[in-house]
Amino acid sequence: MNRITGRSGGDSLIEMSPTDSFAEDLNGYHHQASSSDGSLQPGQSGHRHAPDVFVDTCESLKSSISSLTRSDPSEELNAEDQTLERISTLTGLSRKRALFLKFRSRIDKHQQSKDSVYFRDGLRRIDFVLSYVDDKDGERKQERRKVYEANLVKVGLELETENKSESEDGKTYFVKIHAPWEVLATYADVLKIKVPFKANDIPNNRDIPMNWLSTPFRLPDHIMNPEPDYFTAPFDKSKSDFFLIDDKETFFPPSTRNRIVFYILSRCSYISEECGDKDKKGIKRLLNNGTYTAAFPLHDSRYWTRSKDLSCESERYSLYKHWAGFFSFFKEQPLNLIRKYYGEKIGIYFAWLGFYTEMLLFAAVVGTICFVYGFLTYDDNEWSKEICSDKVGGNIVMCPLCDKKCSFWKLNTTCNSSWQSHLFDNVGTVFFAIFMGIWVTLFLEFWKRRQARLEYEWDLVDFEEEQQQLQLRPEYETKCTNRKLNRITQETELVLHRTPTDLLGKCFLCWATVALWISLIIACIIGVIAYRLAVYAAFASIMKDSPTSHLQVVGPYITPQLATSVTASCINFVIIMILNLMYERVAVWITDMEIPKTHLEYENKLTVKMFLFQFVNYYSSCFYVAFFKGKFVGYPGKYAYMFGSWSSLRNEECDPGGCLIELTTQLVIVMTGKQVWGNIQEALVPWLMNWWGSRRARCHPESLYSRWEQDHDLQGFGQLGLFYEYLEMVIQFGFITLFVASFPLAPLLALFNNIIEIRVDAWKLTTQFRRPVAAKAHSIGAWAEILSGIAVLSVVTNAFIVAFTSDMIPRLVYMYAYQPEMTMKGYIENSLSVFEIAKIPLANSPEDGENPVWYNSSITTCRYRDYRYPPGHEKEYSHTMQFWHILAAKMAFIIIMEHVVFMVKFFVAWMIPDVPADVRARVKRERYLVQEYLHNYEVEKLKVQLSRTNECTCPPMIYPSLNKHEVLSECL
């Protein structure tokens, strides 16, 4: 395919006199130029590498085209190569000056600013940009581009190419695409895009009490509400005069324009029709096979300054100034501006993230109060006093915690961990677990209301019904060979032919792959557990003489248990990150193989696969510590082993203070590590890649670095960019709900992270990524169901954590059933069983030299954590009645807590309607007005038609005996 490239007439360097002025302030073009200058429109042709001719008039266009046919392209290419070779031999300031003058010759001739978002005529807006590198050996790619671009012209798009000599690297071509009104109107009709037809005259009666308190957190009104509120209706090309069309060039906002163009690019073929291969279509395939290197819509300005072209909105600058800056963290988000610039899909994500962060504030306050309660009741902790005292803890000799390498030890060595455990393991923990079960319900219900309001304000109320089927994936369409009658619409639609064998085979392969990777995670977790068991003995042997006690501040807190827990948690975190990177590619591959019908179906399938994997990957280690560690230990002389007695890997025991503090450690390391790593990965990596990619362009004057080149040097956001953002937040949501009973400060950490997360996401989207293609979404999709599932599961897990991981229930049973004074005095003695040292098997006994210096033969018994009868009793070493009382109390607590929380949850969900009453009324009112105005429009249109002809003998009114409402129902 041929086109005029618009380069300067020669490549020789032009000397710049001292009096020359560089037109840097021009951010547009002189509008006297012909709209066909240097561009390709339907029915127009030219040579790709022809010399540029600046066209001022229609008369000069004819002579210009005739001159193109007489020129020899090979001569110009040789001159171009010679110029580039001369410039490449220069260095330092000489090379910069040569490049400056080379670009200067072009800009002076065309009166053009490189930062413009318009074609060279200054009239037609650039809606999309394609880039490619013309390889010497890429004949097939050239042919594909030629056919593809010719097909784009056939459907009405207009193209304009920037030659590689105009690019910063001298290698990249840029194809600028403009969609004229006819194309936009046609596809807006096809996609049922809602557009305004009347200003909204419904008064907004939402009065917020004490609204003045929120003034410091508010943004200017023109930022929060960049557009007036209108009544909207799906666009109908045949009724274009019904809609509020003041200017056809600005009627469709840039986000809608790039969405329409991308819809065309995704369905345009790149092979000739005679080949008949339906599969060869779409920009995605051309990007994958290297025909094009990038495809993206343009940002409307630089992010740090407004565009000097008054016709340019500079919305990117407004977003950066009021939203992406970190010092705006306390301000509200300009959701309407985000939606206008990036589309509804990205807007709904930031709306959800902002609402989630707001709700975290309440959970963080309550969690902090529970933590402070534990701190204030520090001195009332009777059992920790007993552990730390020389009379009780100093006289209790504990049995070895591992075979051979572990020695007998005194209970008071766990003094510090018992005090730490009290900060999280207290009565406030039970209250906070119940509170979080109710908080989750309130969060989900209030989000439904916020989402319903956004659906109304953003014209997404009927999106699911009207537009979802229009979002067919091009990959699905190319595979369809049959058509089927839709029983609802009575229209034929594309259907993918699948045999039962093919369907079952792909389903089995996909889920077998998921099961295989989940099994791999479980195997890794088992390996980490084996590490904990093996390394604990080593740490115990190393620390038997307390070499760490000489360290200041932290020395006394380092125990074999803590060292094992921290190192195992760090290893587990590294394994989690590695498995994540590997599984992401597998999940995308198996989802592509299923060939989902719509984009929403594709994302939902991928969401389920990824979340199942991530759920097991991130939470399995916490589940192990919470529900398995210390539960299947046995007792001295009959210990339980992980792989049997031959493995010598004895199951871990909990400290006398319980396993809750270890669960807290595990949770903090994995949750905090993931958040820190995620923020570094999201912010630092794109910045470094962009910095490295644009390092040469930064040496040129700012006015020579074109808008399309600036965006080309940024990172691509990708189709699944939002998917990973949602996944990160949902995993965090699981941490602060599933295991929050062990760490009440988890919501506070999540709150701080999310305040940073919102601004980091805004910053990288505004400054580090190309502008994403606008997409519609009326909800957060499958993530809503996942959040509901986590909410239900969190009630169960927190009930079990309080019952089985915490020591809350055993203490309460002791105080109310076994202590006459109803105090905790004597609890430690009561909770430890006795074993005769002489009966410990040789395989479980410490080796010579392992025991401490205070140990001697006068010590005949040791204690262990359990409720069993002492030696000499008729039921020696079997469980006591107190053990069964405690077990019954734990089960009763779980049942009562679950039923109470679930009842409150369902009652709250029933009490709070999903859609606010005022929104429901507004939706009904708008639907009524749309029908009424459409009816009046049709009536007036028919009157005009009847007045223009004298052949009609019908009465001037339709149904003159009927009132307007009956006419409306009749028409409907």
Side-chain angles (χ1 to χ4, degrees):
M1 187 178 63
N2 303 318
R3 75 172 49 75
I4 302 172
T5 59
R7 286 190 299 111
S8 58
D11 285 325
S12 58
L13 299 180
I14 301 175
E15 291 294 334
M16 183 170 62
S17 65
T19 59
D20 285 340
S21 63
F22 184 63
E24 188 175 357
D25 292 336
L26 292 174
N27 204 24
Y29 312 83
H30 282 291
H31 289 185
Q32 289 86 1
S34 169
S35 63
S36 60
D37 174 32
S39 63
L40 184 61
Q41 302 179 32
Q44 181 180 344
S45 63
H47 291 285
R48 179 184 294 274
H49 299 295
D52 296 306
V53 181
F54 183 70
V55 183
D56 287 318
T57 63
C58 295
E59 288 77 10
S60 62
L61 176 62
K62 296 179 182 178
S63 61
S64 300
I65 295 177
S66 63
S67 67
L68 292 177
T69 59
R70 294 193 297 269
S71 61
D72 185 2
S74 61
E75 294 179 2
E76 188 205 339
L77 287 174
N78 292 334
E80 174 187 325
D81 293 338
Q82 292 173 7
T83 302
L84 293 176
E85 287 177 5
R86 289 200 302 270
I87 293 177
S88 64
T89 59
L90 301 176
T91 58
L93 294 175
S94 300
R95 183 175 184 274
K96 293 180 183 178
R97 178 174 174 78
L99 285 169
F100 177 84
L101 293 173
K102 176 177 179 291
F103 283 103
R104 162 69 188 271
S105 64
R106 174 188 184 278
I107 293 174
D108 277 353
K109 194 163 187 177
H110 288 289
Q111 298 291 321
Q112 174 189 5
S113 168
K114 297 278 280 183
D115 196 45
S116 178
V117 294
Y118 289 90
F119 273 21
R120 284 190 290 272
D121 58 15
L123 299 175
R124 293 170 293 168
R125 189 183 185 104
I126 302 171
D127 297 315
F128 227 87
V129 174
L130 307 179
S131 67
Y132 64 90
V133 177
D134 198 2
D135 301 329
K136 294 181 179 179
D137 302 327
E139 294 182 2
R140 292 185 62 187
K141 294 179 181 178
Q142 291 181 7
E143 182 63 25
R144 290 194 200 109
R145 285 193 292 267
K146 180 179 178 181
V147 175
Y148 185 68
E149 293 172 15
N151 289 335
L152 292 179
V153 173
K154 285 181 182 178
V155 299
L157 297 179
E158 298 174 5
L159 311 182
E160 184 177 77
T161 296
E162 293 291 328
N163 195 273
K164 65 181 180 181
S165 62
E166 307 290 350
S167 64
E168 183 274 330
D169 59 3
K171 301 177 182 178
T172 306
Y173 291 89
F174 291 95
V175 181
K176 299 175 286 186
I177 301 175
H178 168 76
W181 168 258
E182 282 300 317
V183 174
L184 294 173
T186 301
Y187 283 91
D189 194 348
V190 170
L191 296 173
K192 303 298 181 187
I193 293 175
K194 288 188 174 183
V195 294
F197 69 90
K198 184 183 183 299
N200 191 342
D201 55 3
I202 301 177
N204 189 356
N205 297 322
R206 291 183 64 197
D207 294 329
I208 303 175
M210 302 182 71
N211 193 31
W212 58 272
L213 289 175
S214 61
T215 302
F217 309 102
R218 294 199 173 279
L219 293 174
D221 188 64
H222 73 278
I223 299 297
M224 291 301 299
N225 301 294
E227 292 180 311
D229 193 11
Y230 293 104
F231 290 129
T232 59
F235 185 78
D236 189 339
K237 188 179 178 182
S238 63
K239 302 175 183 176
S240 58
D241 55 335
F242 173 73
F243 302 99
L244 298 178
I245 304 177
D246 295 328
D247 184 356
K248 291 183 177 180
E249 293 301 320
T250 59
F251 180 68
F252 293 107
S255 58
T256 302
R257 297 174 69 101
N258 71 56
R259 179 185 164 210
I260 291 174
V261 173
F262 184 73
Y263 182 87
I264 298 172
L265 294 177
S266 300
R267 287 157 177 79
C268 195
S269 176
Y270 56 84
I271 62 167
S272 303
E273 294 181 359
E274 52 269 18
C275 296
D277 192 348
K278 291 176 59 180
D279 199 32
K280 306 295 184 181
K281 67 191 312 187
I283 187 64
K284 185 177 179 181
R285 282 178 170 271
L286 292 174
L287 292 172
N288 290 338
N289 60 34
T291 304
Y292 290 100
T293 56
F296 53 92
L298 289 180
H299 285 293
D300 62 0
S301 67
R302 300 183 181 97
Y303 65 85
W304 65 87
T305 183
R306 287 187 179 277
S307 174
K308 296 175 183 177
D309 187 353
L310 297 179
S311 62
C312 203
E313 301 86 355
S314 297
E315 291 174 347
R316 184 190 188 191
Y317 166 76
S318 298
L319 287 170
Y320 177 76
K321 179 181 179 182
H322 297 284
W323 178 51
F326 178 75
F327 292 104
S328 302
F329 71 91
F330 61 93
K331 296 282 189 179
E332 60 184 337
Q333 296 188 84
L335 295 177
N336 289 325
L337 185 58
I338 297 170
R339 173 244 183 172
K340 182 185 176 186
Y341 191 75
Y342 290 114
E344 287 79 3
K345 192 171 185 179
I346 291 179
I348 206 81
Y349 163 73
F350 281 103
W352 176 82
L353 181 56
F355 181 77
Y356 171 44
T357 305
E358 291 172 11
M359 292 294 292
L360 274 177
L361 179 62
F362 302 100
V365 169
V366 177
T368 304
I369 291 173
C370 291
F371 177 79
V372 171
Y373 169 81
F375 184 79
L376 294 178
T377 58
Y378 207 62
D379 295 332
D380 299 332
N381 184 3
E382 188 65 36
W383 56 91
S384 291
K385 291 180 180 178
E386 291 185 356
I387 291 175
C388 296
S389 69
D390 292 333
K391 293 182 179 179
V392 181
N395 290 325
I396 296 178
V397 178
M398 302 294 294
C399 299
L401 294 175
C402 63
D403 295 341
K404 297 186 177 180
K405 292 296 182 181
C406 295
S407 63
F408 294 96
W409 52 286
K410 289 188 177 181
L411 182 60
N412 61 359
T413 58
T414 63
C415 176
N416 289 325
S417 63
S418 68
W419 284 112
Q420 296 164 12
S421 179
H422 175 70
L423 293 174
F424 308 106
D425 190 3
N426 52 66
V427 178
T429 301
V430 181
F431 167 77
F432 190 58
I434 296 173
F435 168 81
M436 287 301 293
I438 300 172
W439 175 88
V440 167
T441 304
L442 292 173
F443 164 66
L444 295 176
E445 292 302 318
F446 282 126
W447 165 246
K448 291 177 184 177
R449 293 172 62 84
R450 176 71 65 89
Q451 182 175 275
R453 191 174 296 279
L454 288 175
E455 286 181 13
Y456 167 73
E457 293 175 354
W458 292 357
D459 299 318
L460 300 171
V461 174
D462 300 320
F463 173 75
E464 183 69 24
E465 294 77 11
E466 293 182 2
Q467 299 187 17
Q468 194 55 58
Q469 296 306 316
L470 297 173
Q471 305 298 315
L472 293 179
R473 298 175 66 241
E475 294 83 355
Y476 175 85
E477 291 179 329
T478 56
K479 298 291 183 182
C480 292
T481 55
N482 299 333
R483 285 187 171 272
K484 181 181 178 182
L485 182 68
N486 188 315
R487 295 182 180 180
I488 299 174
T489 62
Q490 292 299 306
E491 296 178 357
T492 57
E493 60 183 13
L494 293 171
V495 176
L496 181 62
H497 178 67
R498 288 173 172 170
T499 62
T501 305
D502 178 57
L503 195 62
L504 289 174
K506 286 186 176 179
C507 183
F508 174 78
L509 178 61
C510 291
W511 289 106
T513 305
V514 175
L516 176 65
W517 278 84
I518 290 177
S519 302
L520 179 62
I521 297 172
I522 296 174
C524 292
I525 294 300
I526 292 175
V528 172
I529 295 172
Y531 164 85
R532 298 170 70 107
L533 302 180
V535 168
Y536 178 80
F539 278 128
S541 179
I542 293 171
M543 297 179 180
K544 65 179 180 179
D545 297 324
S546 300
T548 58
S549 61
H550 303 296
L551 298 175
Q552 295 182 355
V553 183
V554 297
Y557 297 96
I558 299 178
T559 62
Q561 291 92 338
L562 180 63
T564 303
S565 178
V566 171
T567 55
S569 298
C570 293
I571 292 172
N572 182 60
F573 176 72
V574 172
I575 292 174
I576 286 172
M577 294 294 105
I578 294 173
L579 290 178
N580 277 347
L581 293 174
M582 296 170 61
Y583 180 73
E584 284 176 5
R585 296 179 179 273
V586 176
V588 172
W589 173 70
I590 59 180
T591 306
D592 287 339
M593 192 172 59
E594 291 184 86
I595 318 177
K597 184 176 181 179
T598 65
H599 292 291
L600 180 63
E601 185 180 345
Y602 179 89
E603 291 186 5
N604 289 346
K605 287 179 178 290
L606 182 62
T607 297
V608 172
K609 295 181 181 66
M610 284 293 292
F611 182 75
L612 283 176
F613 176 84
Q614 301 276 14
F615 183 90
V616 179
N617 198 15
Y618 278 106
Y619 303 142
S620 54
S621 58
C622 293
F623 272 100
Y624 163 73
V625 175
F627 305 123
F628 295 96
K629 183 181 177 182
K631 308 300 186 294
F632 310 99
V633 177
Y635 59 92
K638 199 175 181 180
Y639 284 116
Y641 290 83
M642 185 175 181
F643 300 111
S645 57
W646 60 270
S647 66
S648 300
L649 295 176
R650 203 172 95 189
N651 289 346
E652 289 184 280
E653 296 183 42
C654 292
D655 283 338
C659 276
L660 195 70
I661 188 64
E662 189 166 342
L663 176 59
T664 303
T665 304
Q666 179 79 22
L667 183 65
V668 169
I669 290 176
V670 177
M671 178 181 171
T672 307
K674 183 188 183 305
Q675 292 178 349
V676 172
W677 173 254
N679 285 327
I680 292 175
Q681 195 175 25
E682 288 181 9
L684 189 60
V685 173
W687 180 81
L688 287 174
M689 294 179 70
N690 290 335
W691 177 85
W692 181 256
S694 61
R695 64 193 183 281
R696 290 187 300 178
R698 288 194 302 273
C699 299
H700 305 323
E702 201 172 82
S703 55
L704 301 183
Y705 194 22
S706 68
R707 162 69 24 232
W708 43 91
E709 287 180 283
Q710 292 177 43
D711 287 6
H712 181 264
D713 289 341
L714 299 178
Q715 299 299 305
F717 189 64
Q719 183 182 354
L720 298 177
L722 275 187
F723 170 82
Y724 296 112
E725 301 296 342
Y726 275 118
L727 182 62
E728 179 186 4
M729 288 296 101
V730 171
I731 293 296
Q732 182 205 83
F733 182 81
F735 278 124
I736 69 164
T737 53
L738 294 174
F739 309 102
V740 74
S742 66
F743 188 47
L745 294 180
L748 183 64
L749 293 181
L751 175 65
F752 289 146
N753 174 80
N754 287 9
I755 290 173
I756 299 173
E757 179 77 19
I758 291 175
R759 304 304 160 179
V760 168
D761 286 349
W763 173 80
K764 72 178 184 182
L765 198 62
T766 308
T767 67
Q768 303 302 310
F769 283 94
R770 299 169 189 154
R771 185 173 183 172
V773 178
K776 280 189 173 290
H778 74 295
S779 67
I780 60 176
W783 297 111
E785 300 300 325
I786 291 175
L787 291 174
S788 298
I790 293 176
V792 173
L793 183 61
S794 67
V795 177
V796 180
T797 55
N798 283 304
F800 273 85
I801 288 174
V802 173
F804 287 96
T805 309
S806 165
D807 275 356
M808 181 63 59
I809 303 300
R811 291 174 195 151
L812 293 176
V813 171
Y814 171 78
M815 186 171 66
Y816 289 108
Y818 291 89
Q819 171 56 261
E821 300 177 3
M822 296 186 68
T823 64
M824 293 303 298
K825 196 170 185 178
Y827 170 73
I828 294 300
E829 283 278 0
N830 177 266
S831 64
L832 298 176
S833 299
V834 181
F835 193 85
E836 192 175 348
I837 294 177
K839 294 184 178 180
I840 297 179
L842 184 61
N844 303 134
S845 300
E847 293 179 345
D848 295 338
E850 293 292 340
N851 285 324
V853 294
W854 52 260
Y855 179 80
N856 54 59
S857 57
S858 62
I859 301 174
T860 57
T861 61
C862 64
R863 311 294 288 271
Y864 59 98
R865 195 169 185 266
D866 207 344
Y867 293 92
R868 295 180 183 272
Y869 288 109
H873 194 277
E874 58 180 2
K875 296 181 180 179
E876 185 179 65
Y877 304 135
S878 61
H879 284 119
T880 63
M881 188 56 66
Q882 186 177 354
F883 170 83
W884 300 109
H885 288 166
I886 292 173
L887 182 61
K890 289 179 177 179
M891 300 306 296
F893 172 81
I894 291 173
I895 294 172
I896 293 172
M897 178 179 169
E898 286 182 358
H899 280 70
V900 169
V901 175
F902 280 132
M903 286 178 63
V904 174
K905 280 170 62 69
F906 292 134
F907 178 74
V908 169
W910 174 75
M911 284 287 293
I912 302 175
D914 292 346
V915 182
D918 65 314
V919 172
R920 190 183 296 111
R922 283 170 170 267
V923 170
K924 291 180 180 179
R925 170 71 176 165
E926 184 166 336
R927 284 176 176 170
Y928 166 75
L929 290 177
V930 169
Q931 292 174 350
E932 184 177 34
Y933 279 105
L934 279 173
H935 167 261
N936 293 338
Y937 168 81
E938 294 292 347
V939 170
E940 293 298 324
K941 190 175 181 180
L942 185 57
K943 284 182 181 180
V944 173
Q945 292 176 354
L946 292 175
S947 65
R948 290 177 180 176
T949 178
N950 296 323
E951 298 178 1
C952 182
T953 58
C954 302
M957 292 291 292
I958 300 176
Y959 306 118
S961 60
L962 299 178
N963 62 41
K964 183 170 65 177
H965 297 290
E966 290 175 333
V967 173
L968 180 60
S969 61
E970 188 74 19
C971 292
L972 292 176

